[in-house]
Amino acid sequence: MGAEQSVYLPPWVPETEAERADAQLFTKAVLALSQKSANFVLPHPLADPTSPQHSPDFAFDWDAHRPFAEAAYRGDKKLFRLLPRIVPKRVSEEDFWRNYFSHVFAIKRRFALGAVAAPHDDAVADGASTASASTTPPATPAAGGAAASSAAAA
């Protein structure tokens, strides 16, 4: 018999039909997040309760997101260099990832709404809509990455 083993993919791997429809643009948009340190220091307005754009659909659970954060950290050299420059000097590691995944959430939402032509400066452009998306890993697309299960020999 085999045991279930989960493989966590980074958040730039398209999961939904909308993301796969323009996979290259989706991947590019998520990877571009690591070019601006502000994306790790400040949450996206959708995730900021004080923002008029705030969405109650964004939820962050560090324990659930940690495997996706590790996959992103291993797969994006910019993240690998950025994290030690920001943590703990400017934010905690948990806040670093909360802020990152809030921006991923905004990109995923934009693709789900079919607004992929919008500028990907997500701190300004995303989140004006009221459509719903979830960020509960690994069951939903907005989790920030996919979790695939495979049977491994015991």
Side-chain angles (χ1 to χ4, degrees), residues 32-43 73 77-100 103:
L33 291 174
S34 61
Q35 294 176 359
K36 295 167 85 177
S37 62
N39 292 329
F40 301 90
V41 177
L42 299 170
Y73 184 75
K77 291 178 184 171
K78 292 176 196 145
L79 275 175
F80 185 80
R81 290 189 300 265
L82 192 60
L83 187 131
R85 291 191 334 207
I86 295 176
V87 173
K89 295 174 198 126
R90 296 175 69 187
V91 295
S92 69
E93 184 174 6
E94 184 173 343
D95 285 342
F96 175 94
W97 291 110
R98 175 182 289 110
N99 295 337
Y100 173 72
H103 291 276

PDB file of all heavy atoms in Angstrom, residues 32-43 73 77-100 103:
ATOM      1  N   ALA A  32       6.305  38.844 -10.712  1.00  0.00           N
ATOM      2  CA  ALA A  32       6.657  40.268 -10.657  1.00  0.00           C
ATOM      3  C   ALA A  32       6.484  40.846  -9.252  1.00  0.00           C
ATOM      4  O   ALA A  32       7.079  41.875  -8.929  1.00  0.00           O
ATOM      5  CB  ALA A  32       5.820  41.059 -11.660  1.00  0.00           C
ATOM      6  N   LEU A  33       5.704  40.198  -8.408  1.00  0.00           N
ATOM      7  CA  LEU A  33       5.505  40.701  -7.045  1.00  0.00           C
ATOM      8  C   LEU A  33       6.829  40.838  -6.296  1.00  0.00           C
ATOM      9  O   LEU A  33       6.998  41.740  -5.487  1.00  0.00           O
ATOM     10  CB  LEU A  33       4.568  39.783  -6.260  1.00  0.00           C
ATOM     11  CG  LEU A  33       3.112  39.768  -6.697  1.00  0.00           C
ATOM     12  CD1 LEU A  33       2.346  38.704  -5.934  1.00  0.00           C
ATOM     13  CD2 LEU A  33       2.481  41.142  -6.508  1.00  0.00           C
ATOM     14  N   SER A  34       7.758  39.941  -6.554  1.00  0.00           N
ATOM     15  CA  SER A  34       9.023  39.966  -5.813  1.00  0.00           C
ATOM     16  C   SER A  34       9.966  41.061  -6.294  1.00  0.00           C
ATOM     17  O   SER A  34      11.063  41.204  -5.763  1.00  0.00           O
ATOM     18  CB  SER A  34       9.703  38.593  -5.860  1.00  0.00           C
ATOM     19  OG  SER A  34       9.996  38.235  -7.186  1.00  0.00           O
ATOM     20  N   GLN A  35       9.554  41.861  -7.257  1.00  0.00           N
ATOM     21  CA  GLN A  35      10.379  42.975  -7.731  1.00  0.00           C
ATOM     22  C   GLN A  35      10.198  44.228  -6.875  1.00  0.00           C
ATOM     23  O   GLN A  35      10.975  45.161  -6.985  1.00  0.00           O
ATOM     24  CB  GLN A  35      10.061  43.288  -9.193  1.00  0.00           C
ATOM     25  CG  GLN A  35      10.452  42.161 -10.114  1.00  0.00           C
ATOM     26  CD  GLN A  35      10.053  42.441 -11.552  1.00  0.00           C
ATOM     27  OE1 GLN A  35       9.472  43.464 -11.876  1.00  0.00           O
ATOM     28  NE2 GLN A  35      10.361  41.491 -12.417  1.00  0.00           N
ATOM     29  N   LYS A  36       9.147  44.256  -6.047  1.00  0.00           N
ATOM     30  CA  LYS A  36       8.866  45.435  -5.221  1.00  0.00           C
ATOM     31  C   LYS A  36       8.780  45.031  -3.752  1.00  0.00           C
ATOM     32  O   LYS A  36       7.894  44.283  -3.371  1.00  0.00           O
ATOM     33  CB  LYS A  36       7.548  46.074  -5.662  1.00  0.00           C
ATOM     34  CG  LYS A  36       7.586  46.645  -7.065  1.00  0.00           C
ATOM     35  CD  LYS A  36       6.208  46.974  -7.561  1.00  0.00           C
ATOM     36  CE  LYS A  36       5.768  48.322  -7.136  1.00  0.00           C
ATOM     37  NZ  LYS A  36       4.453  48.696  -7.677  1.00  0.00           N
ATOM     38  N   SER A  37       9.681  45.552  -2.956  1.00  0.00           N
ATOM     39  CA  SER A  37       9.666  45.190  -1.534  1.00  0.00           C
ATOM     40  C   SER A  37       8.391  45.645  -0.837  1.00  0.00           C
ATOM     41  O   SER A  37       7.980  45.054   0.159  1.00  0.00           O
ATOM     42  CB  SER A  37      10.898  45.737  -0.819  1.00  0.00           C
ATOM     43  OG  SER A  37      10.922  47.140  -0.866  1.00  0.00           O
ATOM     44  N   ALA A  38       7.721  46.658  -1.356  1.00  0.00           N
ATOM     45  CA  ALA A  38       6.473  47.137  -0.750  1.00  0.00           C
ATOM     46  C   ALA A  38       5.410  46.044  -0.711  1.00  0.00           C
ATOM     47  O   ALA A  38       4.547  46.040   0.173  1.00  0.00           O
ATOM     48  CB  ALA A  38       5.941  48.347  -1.513  1.00  0.00           C
ATOM     49  N   ASN A  39       5.469  45.097  -1.653  1.00  0.00           N
ATOM     50  CA  ASN A  39       4.498  43.993  -1.677  1.00  0.00           C
ATOM     51  C   ASN A  39       4.659  43.062  -0.478  1.00  0.00           C
ATOM     52  O   ASN A  39       3.772  42.252  -0.207  1.00  0.00           O
ATOM     53  CB  ASN A  39       4.627  43.198  -2.972  1.00  0.00           C
ATOM     54  CG  ASN A  39       4.186  43.998  -4.174  1.00  0.00           C
ATOM     55  OD1 ASN A  39       3.318  44.846  -4.084  1.00  0.00           O
ATOM     56  ND2 ASN A  39       4.796  43.735  -5.312  1.00  0.00           N
ATOM     57  N   PHE A  40       5.762  43.184   0.240  1.00  0.00           N
ATOM     58  CA  PHE A  40       6.018  42.322   1.393  1.00  0.00           C
ATOM     59  C   PHE A  40       5.921  43.089   2.706  1.00  0.00           C
ATOM     60  O   PHE A  40       5.832  42.492   3.758  1.00  0.00           O
ATOM     61  CB  PHE A  40       7.407  41.680   1.258  1.00  0.00           C
ATOM     62  CG  PHE A  40       7.536  40.869   0.010  1.00  0.00           C
ATOM     63  CD1 PHE A  40       7.988  41.435  -1.167  1.00  0.00           C
ATOM     64  CD2 PHE A  40       7.146  39.549  -0.001  1.00  0.00           C
ATOM     65  CE1 PHE A  40       8.073  40.688  -2.330  1.00  0.00           C
ATOM     66  CE2 PHE A  40       7.224  38.790  -1.148  1.00  0.00           C
ATOM     67  CZ  PHE A  40       7.687  39.372  -2.321  1.00  0.00           C
ATOM     68  N   VAL A  41       5.926  44.398   2.610  1.00  0.00           N
ATOM     69  CA  VAL A  41       5.873  45.243   3.796  1.00  0.00           C
ATOM     70  C   VAL A  41       4.446  45.700   4.070  1.00  0.00           C
ATOM     71  O   VAL A  41       4.049  45.846   5.223  1.00  0.00           O
ATOM     72  CB  VAL A  41       6.822  46.455   3.628  1.00  0.00           C
ATOM     73  CG1 VAL A  41       6.727  47.400   4.811  1.00  0.00           C
ATOM     74  CG2 VAL A  41       8.248  45.969   3.440  1.00  0.00           C
ATOM     75  N   LEU A  42       3.671  45.900   3.010  1.00  0.00           N
ATOM     76  CA  LEU A  42       2.293  46.372   3.140  1.00  0.00           C
ATOM     77  C   LEU A  42       1.329  45.392   2.493  1.00  0.00           C
ATOM     78  O   LEU A  42       1.621  44.848   1.426  1.00  0.00           O
ATOM     79  CB  LEU A  42       2.138  47.734   2.453  1.00  0.00           C
ATOM     80  CG  LEU A  42       2.998  48.865   3.001  1.00  0.00           C
ATOM     81  CD1 LEU A  42       2.937  50.070   2.081  1.00  0.00           C
ATOM     82  CD2 LEU A  42       2.562  49.222   4.409  1.00  0.00           C
ATOM     83  N   PRO A  43       0.167  45.183   3.102  1.00  0.00           N
ATOM     84  CA  PRO A  43      -0.824  44.292   2.478  1.00  0.00           C
ATOM     85  C   PRO A  43      -1.489  44.974   1.287  1.00  0.00           C
ATOM     86  O   PRO A  43      -1.501  46.206   1.190  1.00  0.00           O
ATOM     87  CB  PRO A  43      -1.838  44.047   3.589  1.00  0.00           C
ATOM     88  CG  PRO A  43      -1.747  45.278   4.434  1.00  0.00           C
ATOM     89  CD  PRO A  43      -0.308  45.723   4.372  1.00  0.00           C
ATOM     90  N   TYR A  73       9.559  30.401  -1.966  1.00  0.00           N
ATOM     91  CA  TYR A  73      10.913  30.782  -1.545  1.00  0.00           C
ATOM     92  C   TYR A  73      11.965  29.987  -2.307  1.00  0.00           C
ATOM     93  O   TYR A  73      12.973  30.518  -2.735  1.00  0.00           O
ATOM     94  CB  TYR A  73      11.038  30.559  -0.035  1.00  0.00           C
ATOM     95  CG  TYR A  73      12.350  30.987   0.560  1.00  0.00           C
ATOM     96  CD1 TYR A  73      12.637  32.336   0.758  1.00  0.00           C
ATOM     97  CD2 TYR A  73      13.296  30.059   0.959  1.00  0.00           C
ATOM     98  CE1 TYR A  73      13.831  32.739   1.321  1.00  0.00           C
ATOM     99  CE2 TYR A  73      14.494  30.449   1.523  1.00  0.00           C
ATOM    100  CZ  TYR A  73      14.762  31.791   1.698  1.00  0.00           C
ATOM    101  OH  TYR A  73      15.945  32.183   2.243  1.00  0.00           O
ATOM    102  N   LYS A  77      14.215  33.223  -7.021  1.00  0.00           N
ATOM    103  CA  LYS A  77      15.493  33.703  -6.485  1.00  0.00           C
ATOM    104  C   LYS A  77      15.388  35.103  -5.891  1.00  0.00           C
ATOM    105  O   LYS A  77      16.107  35.447  -4.963  1.00  0.00           O
ATOM    106  CB  LYS A  77      16.557  33.677  -7.577  1.00  0.00           C
ATOM    107  CG  LYS A  77      16.939  32.280  -7.975  1.00  0.00           C
ATOM    108  CD  LYS A  77      17.965  32.279  -9.084  1.00  0.00           C
ATOM    109  CE  LYS A  77      18.215  30.831  -9.467  1.00  0.00           C
ATOM    110  NZ  LYS A  77      19.011  30.698 -10.650  1.00  0.00           N
ATOM    111  N   LYS A  78      14.470  35.924  -6.420  1.00  0.00           N
ATOM    112  CA  LYS A  78      14.296  37.272  -5.877  1.00  0.00           C
ATOM    113  C   LYS A  78      13.743  37.205  -4.456  1.00  0.00           C
ATOM    114  O   LYS A  78      14.166  37.960  -3.584  1.00  0.00           O
ATOM    115  CB  LYS A  78      13.384  38.097  -6.773  1.00  0.00           C
ATOM    116  CG  LYS A  78      14.009  38.410  -8.105  1.00  0.00           C
ATOM    117  CD  LYS A  78      13.028  39.145  -8.973  1.00  0.00           C
ATOM    118  CE  LYS A  78      13.484  39.106 -10.403  1.00  0.00           C
ATOM    119  NZ  LYS A  78      12.396  39.012 -11.334  1.00  0.00           N
ATOM    120  N   LEU A  79      12.790  36.301  -4.227  1.00  0.00           N
ATOM    121  CA  LEU A  79      12.257  36.115  -2.870  1.00  0.00           C
ATOM    122  C   LEU A  79      13.359  35.638  -1.928  1.00  0.00           C
ATOM    123  O   LEU A  79      13.447  36.083  -0.785  1.00  0.00           O
ATOM    124  CB  LEU A  79      11.142  35.064  -2.874  1.00  0.00           C
ATOM    125  CG  LEU A  79       9.747  35.515  -3.204  1.00  0.00           C
ATOM    126  CD1 LEU A  79       8.819  34.319  -3.283  1.00  0.00           C
ATOM    127  CD2 LEU A  79       9.244  36.499  -2.191  1.00  0.00           C
ATOM    128  N   PHE A  80      14.178  34.747  -2.427  1.00  0.00           N
ATOM    129  CA  PHE A  80      15.277  34.181  -1.645  1.00  0.00           C
ATOM    130  C   PHE A  80      16.215  35.294  -1.164  1.00  0.00           C
ATOM    131  O   PHE A  80      16.704  35.258  -0.040  1.00  0.00           O
ATOM    132  CB  PHE A  80      16.035  33.159  -2.507  1.00  0.00           C
ATOM    133  CG  PHE A  80      17.106  32.415  -1.775  1.00  0.00           C
ATOM    134  CD1 PHE A  80      16.789  31.351  -0.956  1.00  0.00           C
ATOM    135  CD2 PHE A  80      18.433  32.779  -1.923  1.00  0.00           C
ATOM    136  CE1 PHE A  80      17.783  30.649  -0.291  1.00  0.00           C
ATOM    137  CE2 PHE A  80      19.434  32.080  -1.260  1.00  0.00           C
ATOM    138  CZ  PHE A  80      19.099  31.018  -0.448  1.00  0.00           C
ATOM    139  N   ARG A  81      16.444  36.297  -2.013  1.00  0.00           N
ATOM    140  CA  ARG A  81      17.321  37.419  -1.639  1.00  0.00           C
ATOM    141  C   ARG A  81      16.582  38.475  -0.826  1.00  0.00           C
ATOM    142  O   ARG A  81      17.177  39.150   0.017  1.00  0.00           O
ATOM    143  CB  ARG A  81      17.922  38.048  -2.896  1.00  0.00           C
ATOM    144  CG  ARG A  81      18.935  37.166  -3.595  1.00  0.00           C
ATOM    145  CD  ARG A  81      19.671  37.902  -4.693  1.00  0.00           C
ATOM    146  NE  ARG A  81      18.802  38.412  -5.739  1.00  0.00           N
ATOM    147  CZ  ARG A  81      18.536  37.788  -6.888  1.00  0.00           C
ATOM    148  NH1 ARG A  81      19.082  36.621  -7.137  1.00  0.00           N
ATOM    149  NH2 ARG A  81      17.741  38.339  -7.778  1.00  0.00           N
ATOM    150  N   LEU A  82      15.297  38.639  -1.071  1.00  0.00           N
ATOM    151  CA  LEU A  82      14.524  39.705  -0.441  1.00  0.00           C
ATOM    152  C   LEU A  82      14.180  39.408   1.024  1.00  0.00           C
ATOM    153  O   LEU A  82      14.249  40.301   1.868  1.00  0.00           O
ATOM    154  CB  LEU A  82      13.242  39.924  -1.247  1.00  0.00           C
ATOM    155  CG  LEU A  82      12.418  41.156  -0.956  1.00  0.00           C
ATOM    156  CD1 LEU A  82      13.225  42.425  -1.195  1.00  0.00           C
ATOM    157  CD2 LEU A  82      11.182  41.159  -1.847  1.00  0.00           C
ATOM    158  N   LEU A  83      13.810  38.188   1.320  1.00  0.00           N
ATOM    159  CA  LEU A  83      13.353  37.846   2.670  1.00  0.00           C
ATOM    160  C   LEU A  83      14.362  38.246   3.749  1.00  0.00           C
ATOM    161  O   LEU A  83      13.984  38.933   4.710  1.00  0.00           O
ATOM    162  CB  LEU A  83      13.000  36.359   2.771  1.00  0.00           C
ATOM    163  CG  LEU A  83      12.358  35.982   4.094  1.00  0.00           C
ATOM    164  CD1 LEU A  83      11.095  35.173   3.843  1.00  0.00           C
ATOM    165  CD2 LEU A  83      13.314  35.192   4.941  1.00  0.00           C
ATOM    166  N   PRO A  84      15.649  37.898   3.635  1.00  0.00           N
ATOM    167  CA  PRO A  84      16.573  38.290   4.712  1.00  0.00           C
ATOM    168  C   PRO A  84      16.810  39.799   4.811  1.00  0.00           C
ATOM    169  O   PRO A  84      17.225  40.292   5.852  1.00  0.00           O
ATOM    170  CB  PRO A  84      17.870  37.561   4.380  1.00  0.00           C
ATOM    171  CG  PRO A  84      17.689  36.919   3.068  1.00  0.00           C
ATOM    172  CD  PRO A  84      16.263  37.044   2.658  1.00  0.00           C
ATOM    173  N   ARG A  85      16.514  40.549   3.756  1.00  0.00           N
ATOM    174  CA  ARG A  85      16.675  42.003   3.814  1.00  0.00           C
ATOM    175  C   ARG A  85      15.513  42.682   4.523  1.00  0.00           C
ATOM    176  O   ARG A  85      15.668  43.781   5.051  1.00  0.00           O
ATOM    177  CB  ARG A  85      16.809  42.580   2.400  1.00  0.00           C
ATOM    178  CG  ARG A  85      18.104  42.201   1.731  1.00  0.00           C
ATOM    179  CD  ARG A  85      18.344  42.974   0.460  1.00  0.00           C
ATOM    180  NE  ARG A  85      17.120  43.440  -0.170  1.00  0.00           N
ATOM    181  CZ  ARG A  85      16.989  43.657  -1.458  1.00  0.00           C
ATOM    182  NH1 ARG A  85      17.992  43.450  -2.265  1.00  0.00           N
ATOM    183  NH2 ARG A  85      15.845  44.080  -1.960  1.00  0.00           N
ATOM    184  N   ILE A  86      14.352  42.032   4.550  1.00  0.00           N
ATOM    185  CA  ILE A  86      13.149  42.648   5.122  1.00  0.00           C
ATOM    186  C   ILE A  86      12.797  42.079   6.490  1.00  0.00           C
ATOM    187  O   ILE A  86      12.330  42.802   7.369  1.00  0.00           O
ATOM    188  CB  ILE A  86      11.967  42.487   4.143  1.00  0.00           C
ATOM    189  CG1 ILE A  86      12.257  43.273   2.862  1.00  0.00           C
ATOM    190  CG2 ILE A  86      10.660  42.940   4.767  1.00  0.00           C
ATOM    191  CD1 ILE A  86      11.205  43.109   1.800  1.00  0.00           C
ATOM    192  N   VAL A  87      13.032  40.787   6.677  1.00  0.00           N
ATOM    193  CA  VAL A  87      12.670  40.094   7.928  1.00  0.00           C
ATOM    194  C   VAL A  87      13.924  39.942   8.774  1.00  0.00           C
ATOM    195  O   VAL A  87      14.943  39.452   8.287  1.00  0.00           O
ATOM    196  CB  VAL A  87      12.062  38.706   7.611  1.00  0.00           C
ATOM    197  CG1 VAL A  87      11.829  37.907   8.881  1.00  0.00           C
ATOM    198  CG2 VAL A  87      10.792  38.849   6.798  1.00  0.00           C
ATOM    199  N   PRO A  88      13.918  40.322  10.018  1.00  0.00           N
ATOM    200  CA  PRO A  88      12.861  40.937  10.825  1.00  0.00           C
ATOM    201  C   PRO A  88      12.972  42.458  10.906  1.00  0.00           C
ATOM    202  O   PRO A  88      12.278  43.073  11.696  1.00  0.00           O
ATOM    203  CB  PRO A  88      13.086  40.319  12.191  1.00  0.00           C
ATOM    204  CG  PRO A  88      14.579  40.221  12.292  1.00  0.00           C
ATOM    205  CD  PRO A  88      15.027  39.892  10.866  1.00  0.00           C
ATOM    206  N   LYS A  89      13.832  43.059  10.084  1.00  0.00           N
ATOM    207  CA  LYS A  89      14.067  44.506  10.185  1.00  0.00           C
ATOM    208  C   LYS A  89      12.806  45.339  10.000  1.00  0.00           C
ATOM    209  O   LYS A  89      12.601  46.322  10.701  1.00  0.00           O
ATOM    210  CB  LYS A  89      15.114  44.939   9.158  1.00  0.00           C
ATOM    211  CG  LYS A  89      16.477  44.357   9.404  1.00  0.00           C
ATOM    212  CD  LYS A  89      17.425  44.701   8.264  1.00  0.00           C
ATOM    213  CE  LYS A  89      18.604  43.771   8.315  1.00  0.00           C
ATOM    214  NZ  LYS A  89      18.830  43.076   7.077  1.00  0.00           N
ATOM    215  N   ARG A  90      11.963  44.945   9.025  1.00  0.00           N
ATOM    216  CA  ARG A  90      10.784  45.765   8.719  1.00  0.00           C
ATOM    217  C   ARG A  90       9.470  45.091   9.078  1.00  0.00           C
ATOM    218  O   ARG A  90       8.509  45.772   9.438  1.00  0.00           O
ATOM    219  CB  ARG A  90      10.806  46.141   7.243  1.00  0.00           C
ATOM    220  CG  ARG A  90      12.019  47.034   6.928  1.00  0.00           C
ATOM    221  CD  ARG A  90      12.170  47.344   5.481  1.00  0.00           C
ATOM    222  NE  ARG A  90      11.125  48.227   5.000  1.00  0.00           N
ATOM    223  CZ  ARG A  90      10.977  48.529   3.731  1.00  0.00           C
ATOM    224  NH1 ARG A  90      11.789  48.041   2.822  1.00  0.00           N
ATOM    225  NH2 ARG A  90      10.000  49.324   3.343  1.00  0.00           N
ATOM    226  N   VAL A  91       9.398  43.780   8.949  1.00  0.00           N
ATOM    227  CA  VAL A  91       8.187  43.024   9.300  1.00  0.00           C
ATOM    228  C   VAL A  91       8.598  41.644   9.797  1.00  0.00           C
ATOM    229  O   VAL A  91       9.705  41.178   9.545  1.00  0.00           O
ATOM    230  CB  VAL A  91       7.224  42.857   8.094  1.00  0.00           C
ATOM    231  CG1 VAL A  91       6.659  44.174   7.634  1.00  0.00           C
ATOM    232  CG2 VAL A  91       7.880  42.128   6.951  1.00  0.00           C
ATOM    233  N   SER A  92       7.677  41.000  10.471  1.00  0.00           N
ATOM    234  CA  SER A  92       7.916  39.618  10.893  1.00  0.00           C
ATOM    235  C   SER A  92       7.813  38.703   9.666  1.00  0.00           C
ATOM    236  O   SER A  92       7.265  39.093   8.633  1.00  0.00           O
ATOM    237  CB  SER A  92       6.869  39.196  11.933  1.00  0.00           C
ATOM    238  OG  SER A  92       5.593  39.097  11.312  1.00  0.00           O
ATOM    239  N   GLU A  93       8.303  37.488   9.785  1.00  0.00           N
ATOM    240  CA  GLU A  93       8.208  36.558   8.662  1.00  0.00           C
ATOM    241  C   GLU A  93       6.748  36.262   8.333  1.00  0.00           C
ATOM    242  O   GLU A  93       6.352  36.191   7.160  1.00  0.00           O
ATOM    243  CB  GLU A  93       8.947  35.255   8.939  1.00  0.00           C
ATOM    244  CG  GLU A  93       8.926  34.327   7.740  1.00  0.00           C
ATOM    245  CD  GLU A  93       9.763  33.078   7.904  1.00  0.00           C
ATOM    246  OE1 GLU A  93      10.307  32.831   8.998  1.00  0.00           O
ATOM    247  OE2 GLU A  93       9.864  32.335   6.910  1.00  0.00           O
ATOM    248  N   GLU A  94       5.910  36.110   9.342  1.00  0.00           N
ATOM    249  CA  GLU A  94       4.499  35.846   9.098  1.00  0.00           C
ATOM    250  C   GLU A  94       3.845  37.007   8.345  1.00  0.00           C
ATOM    251  O   GLU A  94       3.080  36.802   7.394  1.00  0.00           O
ATOM    252  CB  GLU A  94       3.762  35.578  10.409  1.00  0.00           C
ATOM    253  CG  GLU A  94       2.321  35.199  10.210  1.00  0.00           C
ATOM    254  CD  GLU A  94       1.625  34.774  11.499  1.00  0.00           C
ATOM    255  OE1 GLU A  94       2.316  34.463  12.497  1.00  0.00           O
ATOM    256  OE2 GLU A  94       0.382  34.747  11.496  1.00  0.00           O
ATOM    257  N   ASP A  95       4.142  38.247   8.737  1.00  0.00           N
ATOM    258  CA  ASP A  95       3.586  39.403   8.031  1.00  0.00           C
ATOM    259  C   ASP A  95       4.145  39.520   6.612  1.00  0.00           C
ATOM    260  O   ASP A  95       3.431  39.920   5.691  1.00  0.00           O
ATOM    261  CB  ASP A  95       3.838  40.691   8.806  1.00  0.00           C
ATOM    262  CG  ASP A  95       2.929  40.824  10.008  1.00  0.00           C
ATOM    263  OD1 ASP A  95       1.896  40.118  10.068  1.00  0.00           O
ATOM    264  OD2 ASP A  95       3.254  41.633  10.907  1.00  0.00           O
ATOM    265  N   PHE A  96       5.414  39.193   6.435  1.00  0.00           N
ATOM    266  CA  PHE A  96       6.028  39.184   5.110  1.00  0.00           C
ATOM    267  C   PHE A  96       5.201  38.312   4.170  1.00  0.00           C
ATOM    268  O   PHE A  96       4.807  38.740   3.085  1.00  0.00           O
ATOM    269  CB  PHE A  96       7.459  38.637   5.229  1.00  0.00           C
ATOM    270  CG  PHE A  96       8.200  38.447   3.943  1.00  0.00           C
ATOM    271  CD1 PHE A  96       9.035  39.446   3.458  1.00  0.00           C
ATOM    272  CD2 PHE A  96       8.120  37.254   3.232  1.00  0.00           C
ATOM    273  CE1 PHE A  96       9.759  39.261   2.282  1.00  0.00           C
ATOM    274  CE2 PHE A  96       8.830  37.059   2.060  1.00  0.00           C
ATOM    275  CZ  PHE A  96       9.657  38.074   1.584  1.00  0.00           C
ATOM    276  N   TRP A  97       4.878  37.091   4.617  1.00  0.00           N
ATOM    277  CA  TRP A  97       4.125  36.160   3.775  1.00  0.00           C
ATOM    278  C   TRP A  97       2.654  36.536   3.689  1.00  0.00           C
ATOM    279  O   TRP A  97       2.027  36.360   2.650  1.00  0.00           O
ATOM    280  CB  TRP A  97       4.319  34.725   4.258  1.00  0.00           C
ATOM    281  CG  TRP A  97       5.725  34.264   3.998  1.00  0.00           C
ATOM    282  CD1 TRP A  97       6.701  34.028   4.919  1.00  0.00           C
ATOM    283  CD2 TRP A  97       6.314  34.014   2.717  1.00  0.00           C
ATOM    284  NE1 TRP A  97       7.857  33.645   4.291  1.00  0.00           N
ATOM    285  CE2 TRP A  97       7.644  33.624   2.941  1.00  0.00           C
ATOM    286  CE3 TRP A  97       5.849  34.083   1.400  1.00  0.00           C
ATOM    287  CZ2 TRP A  97       8.517  33.309   1.893  1.00  0.00           C
ATOM    288  CZ3 TRP A  97       6.713  33.767   0.364  1.00  0.00           C
ATOM    289  CH2 TRP A  97       8.033  33.385   0.608  1.00  0.00           C
ATOM    290  N   ARG A  98       2.079  37.061   4.754  1.00  0.00           N
ATOM    291  CA  ARG A  98       0.680  37.522   4.710  1.00  0.00           C
ATOM    292  C   ARG A  98       0.543  38.602   3.640  1.00  0.00           C
ATOM    293  O   ARG A  98      -0.375  38.567   2.816  1.00  0.00           O
ATOM    294  CB  ARG A  98       0.228  38.063   6.064  1.00  0.00           C
ATOM    295  CG  ARG A  98      -1.183  38.677   6.022  1.00  0.00           C
ATOM    296  CD  ARG A  98      -1.620  39.263   7.355  1.00  0.00           C
ATOM    297  NE  ARG A  98      -1.875  38.195   8.315  1.00  0.00           N
ATOM    298  CZ  ARG A  98      -1.109  37.947   9.379  1.00  0.00           C
ATOM    299  NH1 ARG A  98      -0.056  38.694   9.651  1.00  0.00           N
ATOM    300  NH2 ARG A  98      -1.396  36.967  10.197  1.00  0.00           N
ATOM    301  N   ASN A  99       1.461  39.548   3.640  1.00  0.00           N
ATOM    302  CA  ASN A  99       1.412  40.623   2.666  1.00  0.00           C
ATOM    303  C   ASN A  99       1.608  40.085   1.251  1.00  0.00           C
ATOM    304  O   ASN A  99       0.880  40.461   0.323  1.00  0.00           O
ATOM    305  CB  ASN A  99       2.453  41.687   2.992  1.00  0.00           C
ATOM    306  CG  ASN A  99       2.158  42.391   4.305  1.00  0.00           C
ATOM    307  OD1 ASN A  99       1.019  42.422   4.765  1.00  0.00           O
ATOM    308  ND2 ASN A  99       3.178  42.937   4.927  1.00  0.00           N
ATOM    309  N   TYR A 100       2.557  39.194   1.071  1.00  0.00           N
ATOM    310  CA  TYR A 100       2.800  38.584  -0.243  1.00  0.00           C
ATOM    311  C   TYR A 100       1.546  37.873  -0.746  1.00  0.00           C
ATOM    312  O   TYR A 100       1.101  38.096  -1.873  1.00  0.00           O
ATOM    313  CB  TYR A 100       3.970  37.605  -0.142  1.00  0.00           C
ATOM    314  CG  TYR A 100       4.212  36.790  -1.385  1.00  0.00           C
ATOM    315  CD1 TYR A 100       4.746  37.371  -2.537  1.00  0.00           C
ATOM    316  CD2 TYR A 100       3.933  35.428  -1.416  1.00  0.00           C
ATOM    317  CE1 TYR A 100       4.984  36.613  -3.677  1.00  0.00           C
ATOM    318  CE2 TYR A 100       4.171  34.667  -2.545  1.00  0.00           C
ATOM    319  CZ  TYR A 100       4.702  35.274  -3.673  1.00  0.00           C
ATOM    320  OH  TYR A 100       4.936  34.511  -4.797  1.00  0.00           O
ATOM    321  N   HIS A 103      -1.259  40.012  -2.046  1.00  0.00           N
ATOM    322  CA  HIS A 103      -1.051  40.474  -3.420  1.00  0.00           C
ATOM    323  C   HIS A 103      -1.311  39.341  -4.414  1.00  0.00           C
ATOM    324  O   HIS A 103      -1.866  39.575  -5.491  1.00  0.00           O
ATOM    325  CB  HIS A 103       0.352  41.061  -3.573  1.00  0.00           C
ATOM    326  CG  HIS A 103       0.528  42.352  -2.838  1.00  0.00           C
ATOM    327  ND1 HIS A 103       0.169  43.571  -3.360  1.00  0.00           N
ATOM    328  CD2 HIS A 103       0.994  42.606  -1.591  1.00  0.00           C
ATOM    329  CE1 HIS A 103       0.426  44.524  -2.483  1.00  0.00           C
ATOM    330  NE2 HIS A 103       0.916  43.958  -1.391  1.00  0.00           N
TER     331      HIS A 103
END
